[in-house]
Amino acid sequence: MAKLVVLQPTKQPPISLLSSSLSHFNGTKLCQIQYKRKVCQPKGALHVAASSTKKILIMGGTRFIGVFLSRLLVKEGHQVTLFTRGKAPVTQQLPGESDSDYSDFKSKILHLKGDRQDFEFVKSSLSAEGFDVVYDINGREAVEVEPILDALPNLEQFIYCSSAGVYLKSDILPHCEVDAVDPKSRHKGKLNTESLLEKSGVNWTSLRPVYIYGPLNYNPVEEWFFHRLKAGRPIPIPNSGVQITQLGHVKDLATAFVRVLGNEKASKQVFNISGEKYVTFDGLAKACAKAGGFPEPEIVHYNPKEFDFGKKKAFPFRDQHFFASVEKAKHVLGLKPEFDLVEGLTDSYNLDFGRGTYRKEADFSTDDMILNKTFALQS
Amino acid sequence: MAALASSSSSSLLFTSPPSKLPSPSLYPLPRFSLPTSSFLSSSLSISPSSLSYPTASRRHSASSFTVRAAAAGKKKVLIVNTNSGGHAVIGFYFAKQLLGSGHEVTILTVGDEGSDKMKKPPFNRFSEITSAGGKTVWGDPADVGTVVAGATFDVVLDNNGKDLDSVRPVVDWAKSSGVKQFLFISSAGIYKPTDQPPHVEGDVVKADAGHVGVEKYIAEVFSSWAIFRPQYMIGSGNNKDCEEWFFDRIVRNRPVPIPGSGMQLTNIAHVRDVSSMLTLAVEKPEAASSNIFNCVSDRAVTLDGMARLCAEAAGLPVEIVHYDPKAIGIDAKKAFPFRNMHFYAEPRAAKDILGWEGTTNLPEDLKERFEEYVKIGRDTKPMKFEIDDKILEALKVAVAV
């Protein structure tokens, strides 16, 4: 697992874009689907989850999704506990978050220190505390979830962060919730967990994000492009560049997690959660440039088979089409993502990379291999 | 670059009056005495709470269409249909579905009943329309009023024109003769190419596309209108090759040359899905009104994927060969039946607003298509593959003799 890196303190003064960004994570934004004349609102879709206060446990919650999700839940008035090893600070002030908001959050969030791989401890500590709802946003294997279910026989809802990576690769797209899954995929642990939840009889909900992005992303998705754009370097993209992927903003994912809380329509259901539009690899490079105010990038295509990159990843995305339909969440839950791609990347840039913060240092070694070969051939 | 899925049929519009006016016998006395004024249709718009969700069982089965139609009120529908190209089959399915649901249908095909074009599907199967109680007439859409001998309709679908010149006369006549709802088959080809697929309703379209002018005009003239933007279709009775292009090569053990990477996404719908969307619009006119609908299936397929699916349907292997058309001096439009780019729209408005559900299942549908392909003997028909050979020669690919 990657080391958690403490965020750099912000050096730049807040910029005017912040006020809009702040409003995005202060409280759940209720989105309506509007068409020319007809508003399509499935009954109950705009029902704000849980009129009653819940005692909520989040497995994880100090890194990325949980950072935003926990704030929304606390704002809704729930009692929220984060279960972490305590390696990273339980709370950190977010870029753009006011001091008063942060101290309010900090005063209310609770911490249960432990290692979730210690199943006995998980069972005993959770059983002792008792929780109404569990959000499992860092679980990878079914065995990790068993002690939680054992500890909480009266659990009202188990909400799981799964992954669209469970879908079986297909020529027919987008991936929809009803489609075949791949029991051999790298994410089979997520699949096994979903099966366990199904068999256990608990009231479960599973969300399957695609690629998540946004401020504090520890997976170098947008960061990978920003490093190169900032350095004025060409962007090396494997093969044709028309491969289609899909990004979902972390704040929209957090909103989705809140939307399913106490929601009957989410009971024992799987939902894909991501952006409404997909994007080609080439298109993503251009969108990142736009978001950061960089000029249109030079894109260099290459055949990855002609290189041996060793253990290094030359490109942060799977070299294939990979995108999922979010129509089910739209129709069943009334969920409409707030951020489009450029808006979301701009939010990420302004609150994170653009302030000089990032998780991984730039590593252009694979780029140089590609560019040296490409330009050698051209000369 | 406005190459559309269907071949151009506008050049085939006859400017001289049709040689045969429909005889009175084509308009027998109505069999039903139901009042023709629109009633109940507004009260029958399906309320949002009953919208089907993707995981729910299919609610829009054929039988429920019939029930809804009877309650919504029988409509008199005129289909102005192109006489060739990829869209021709739409009118055929739509007519049959409407008739099956209890509506009255007249299909006006452009041109002459006796023309050679009428020997091809779906026109050579029009007896299926007449035996179901539909009327078939031929003529020039510019004289539509005359061609239909003064009959009046509740709904008109123009499945013919690609520009204002060819559709305006139909729109004007429809308005003046009291048609209440005007439907138009446009094209998803008018969307501006994007690197953020899919094309969704409301996205920017190419300002100079002929269909755009038509869409605007219809919206100005009618208060109850709906626009449908299809892509490619498969289905028995198709006037234009689609899957056949792949079958032709696969059964003859020839490589399948696909331009570019083969990763380009396209949308191929069974025409029954197109028809069901149109039928929903007829039966829910208030919901449909003033909306644009991408008239496509709810899944995309890659070009390579289509080749693979056709091969699987045929139970045969396939060898895909990629090429760069520019590099070898090939016009991809002539060499390959689909656009050499991502061309991918999603039917979001239809799902949101009409509660439409797609049923296209390419693996299953292609099996059926292949059965027919063999049944008509096309698998053994002698064929030339001149452009293919040119491509393969340029790539130095061997062809099985």
Side-chain angles (χ1 to χ4, degrees):
Chain A
M1 263 214 256
K3 260 199 335 193
L4 293 171
V5 176
V6 177
L7 293 173
Q8 311 279 345
T10 59
K11 288 175 192 143
Q12 295 163 3
I15 54 180
S16 60
L17 228 61
L18 283 175
S19 48
S20 59
S21 323
L22 259 180
S23 66
H24 288 144
F25 64 77
N26 282 346
T28 317
K29 258 205 171 168
L30 300 173
C31 299
Q32 294 189 1
I33 304 162
Q34 304 251 346
Y35 289 90
K36 284 193 183 107
R37 282 171 206 181
K38 299 292 170 201
V39 175
C40 170
Q41 289 181 25
K43 248 194 227 162
L46 298 178
H47 160 76
V48 176
S51 45
S52 56
T53 303
K54 305 275 179 198
K55 191 169 174 186
I56 297 177
L57 177 71
I58 300 180
M59 300 303 290
T62 56
R63 219 169 157 200
F64 188 33
I65 303 170
V67 160
F68 297 97
L69 173 59
S70 56
R71 278 166 171 75
L72 290 181
L73 292 170
V74 165
K75 208 76 197 198
E76 300 247 314
H78 301 293
Q79 186 198 95
V80 181
T81 303
L82 307 180
F83 184 111
T84 76
R85 290 170 299 173
K87 286 193 163 184
V90 177
T91 67
Q92 296 183 76
Q93 189 165 2
L94 292 181
E97 188 178 28
S98 73
D99 290 346
S100 59
D101 280 347
Y102 177 57
S103 60
D104 183 64
F105 171 70
K106 189 172 173 162
S107 69
K108 290 174 181 166
I109 198 78
L110 302 167
H111 185 233
L112 175 46
K113 183 169 172 174
D115 186 341
R116 75 171 298 172
Q117 300 300 334
D118 182 349
F119 302 148
E120 279 310 311
F121 177 77
V122 169
K123 186 170 171 183
S124 58
S125 60
L126 266 52
S127 165
E129 269 298 316
F131 293 96
D132 302 319
V133 174
V134 171
Y135 278 93
D136 187 347
I137 56 174
N138 67 5
R140 292 191 184 187
E141 301 294 339
V143 284
E144 297 164 5
V145 171
E146 282 170 8
I148 300 174
L149 298 177
D150 289 343
L152 302 168
N154 299 320
L155 190 62
E156 288 174 22
Q157 193 176 10
F158 188 104
I159 302 171
Y160 185 56
C161 187
S162 181
S163 167
V166 301
Y167 289 112
L168 184 64
K169 194 171 166 188
S170 177
D171 289 325
I172 297 175
L173 292 157
H175 294 303
C176 297
E177 291 84 349
V178 296
D179 288 354
V181 291
D182 182 2
K184 294 192 216 132
S185 86
R186 203 160 50 85
H187 299 275
K188 60 182 187 284
K190 300 277 192 186
L191 211 47
N192 295 335
T193 304
E194 287 181 353
S195 301
L196 171 72
L197 292 169
E198 174 77 64
K199 290 191 191 98
S200 72
V202 75
N203 175 30
W204 61 272
T205 301
S206 182
L207 301 190
R208 293 177 180 166
V210 187
Y211 287 105
I212 310 169
Y213 74 112
L216 306 183
N217 199 358
Y218 56 80
N219 189 14
V221 168
E222 65 269 54
E223 181 184 287
W224 187 90
F225 290 93
F226 289 150
H227 272 312
R228 282 143 186 84
L229 290 163
K230 182 167 180 195
R233 280 178 151 268
I235 315 274
I237 291 180
N239 291 314
S240 63
V242 304
Q243 302 90 315
I244 295 178
T245 189
Q246 183 184 19
L247 273 60
H249 198 285
V250 64
K251 290 171 190 170
D252 284 327
L253 179 56
T255 301
F257 273 115
V258 176
R259 185 65 60 88
V260 301
L261 177 64
N263 190 338
E264 296 162 2
K265 290 181 184 291
S267 175
K268 308 195 178 186
Q269 294 292 329
V270 172
F271 297 96
N272 296 331
I273 304 290
S274 194
E276 280 199 302
K277 288 263 190 151
Y278 322 123
V279 64
T280 61
F281 287 171
D282 283 0
L284 181 54
K286 292 176 194 168
C288 287
K290 245 188 160 162
F294 297 105
E296 180 137 340
E298 185 195 346
I299 293 170
V300 170
H301 293 127
Y302 64 96
N303 181 353
K305 291 194 186 131
E306 292 173 11
F307 299 88
D308 179 7
F309 299 122
K311 289 205 167 128
K312 294 201 171 181
K313 252 175 129 175
F315 191 69
F317 295 89
R318 299 164 170 72
D319 186 6
Q320 61 178 77
H321 289 317
F322 179 46
F323 56 96
S325 169
V326 298
E327 295 286 282
K328 180 180 172 182
K330 179 167 89 175
H331 290 128
V332 176
L333 305 171
L335 260 179
K336 195 161 156 61
E338 220 185 295
F339 288 96
D340 72 25
L341 185 61
V342 172
E343 284 168 2
L345 289 168
T346 305
D347 180 72
S348 179
Y349 186 81
N350 287 341
L351 294 177
D352 197 359
F353 194 92
R355 294 163 160 246
T357 56
Y358 47 83
R359 312 294 93 65
K360 269 184 88 176
E361 287 297 332
D363 178 355
F364 302 130
S365 52
T366 55
D367 297 51
D368 288 335
M369 285 171 68
I370 294 160
L371 297 170
N372 288 339
K373 182 164 182 176
T374 306
F375 293 118
L377 284 173
Q378 285 177 7
S379 57
Chain B
M1 222 297 286
L4 297 167
S6 53
S7 59
S8 169
S9 61
S10 53
S11 58
L12 296 161
L13 279 178
F14 291 83
T15 51
S16 56
S19 50
K20 281 187 198 145
L21 288 173
S23 60
S25 61
L26 284 173
Y27 289 86
L29 288 168
R31 287 177 211 161
F32 306 96
S33 55
L34 286 173
T36 53
S37 57
S38 69
F39 53 86
L40 297 182
S41 54
S42 52
S43 64
L44 225 285
S45 319
I46 303 292
S47 66
S49 59
S50 67
L51 278 174
S52 337
Y53 302 133
T55 49
S57 59
R58 272 200 253 146
R59 295 175 186 219
H60 300 287
S61 60
S63 58
S64 64
F65 274 133
T66 317
V67 170
R68 247 202 303 287
K74 199 174 72 143
K75 299 282 168 74
K76 294 202 299 185
V77 184
L78 172 69
I79 303 168
V80 177
N81 213 61
T82 177
N83 57 25
S84 68
H87 290 186
V89 69
I90 297 175
F92 179 58
Y93 275 71
F94 184 44
K96 296 209 294 178
Q97 183 161 17
L98 288 170
L99 290 164
S101 298
H103 299 289
E104 243 181 69
V105 177
T106 298
I107 182 163
L108 188 172
T109 304
V110 175
D112 279 345
E113 186 176 1
S115 83
D116 277 346
K117 288 181 186 291
M118 296 302 108
K119 295 180 181 154
K120 292 180 69 179
F123 311 106
N124 57 9
R125 290 171 52 180
F126 266 19
S127 57
E128 293 172 36
I129 293 176
T130 50
S131 64
K135 301 174 187 97
T136 54
V137 295
W138 280 261
D140 182 352
D143 293 328
V144 51
T146 312
V147 177
V148 301
T152 57
F153 299 90
D154 303 306
V155 183
V156 169
L157 169 71
D158 186 304
N159 179 33
N160 173 55
K162 294 175 192 174
D163 53 40
L164 204 43
D165 283 346
S166 36
V167 188
R168 194 195 335 246
V170 180
V171 174
D172 291 347
W173 161 82
K175 183 74 181 176
S176 66
S177 72
V179 169
K180 287 171 209 75
Q181 182 188 40
F182 199 95
L183 310 176
F184 176 57
I185 301 292
S186 178
S187 169
I190 64 174
Y191 284 112
K192 217 166 156 229
T194 175
D195 48 27
Q196 287 190 45
H199 297 302
V200 301
E201 298 86 350
D203 282 357
V204 176
V205 294
K206 296 177 215 163
D208 58 349
H211 296 90
V212 173
V214 179
E215 292 184 357
K216 286 197 176 119
Y217 188 65
I218 291 167
E220 280 164 29
V221 172
F222 272 85
S223 52
S224 177
W225 58 267
I227 306 280
F228 299 86
R229 295 175 178 166
Q231 287 192 234
Y232 304 108
M233 279 157 281
I234 60 170
S236 183
N238 203 348
N239 188 263
K240 186 178 182 195
D241 278 357
C242 178
E243 69 280 15
E244 293 86 347
W245 187 90
F246 293 93
F247 290 152
D248 285 345
R249 285 147 184 81
I250 290 165
V251 298
R252 290 166 182 78
N253 205 21
R254 291 189 58 97
V256 176
I258 293 182
S261 64
M263 295 271 289
Q264 305 91 312
L265 285 174
T266 190
N267 191 316
I268 298 169
H270 193 289
V271 59
R272 65 172 182 262
D273 274 357
V274 173
S275 174
S276 69
M277 198 186 289
L278 294 169
T279 304
L280 273 174
V282 169
E283 292 173 349
K284 299 187 196 182
E286 293 215 337
S289 180
S290 307
N291 283 300
I292 293 168
F293 299 100
N294 288 337
C295 201
V296 296
S297 81
D298 62 7
R299 302 301 180 104
V301 65
T302 61
L303 298 182
D304 278 3
M306 184 60 180
R308 286 191 274 264
L309 289 173
C310 287
E312 271 164 37
L316 292 167
V318 63
E319 183 196 349
I320 295 169
V321 166
H322 294 127
Y323 65 96
D324 178 353
K326 284 198 193 116
I328 57 179
I330 289 284
D331 181 356
K333 285 181 210 157
K334 296 205 173 95
F336 189 69
F338 301 102
R339 293 186 185 205
N340 180 14
M341 59 194 294
H342 285 310
F343 178 31
Y344 167 32
E346 280 188 8
R348 294 185 186 179
K351 286 188 163 187
D352 293 343
I353 297 168
L354 299 175
W356 174 88
E357 275 182 15
T359 66
T360 300
N361 178 334
L362 281 181
E364 287 306 310
D365 292 334
L366 287 171
K367 279 199 196 111
E368 209 181 87
R369 299 305 310 129
F370 186 70
E371 277 164 23
E372 187 175 332
Y373 177 87
V374 169
K375 194 166 158 194
I376 61 174
R378 185 155 163 176
D379 56 336
T380 51
K381 190 177 157 189
M383 271 181 204
K384 287 213 176 112
F385 296 88
E386 283 166 5
I387 302 182
D388 282 40
D389 286 336
K390 193 169 165 205
I391 293 166
L392 297 169
E393 170 62 35
L395 298 173
K396 300 279 183 267
V397 176
V399 183
V401 174

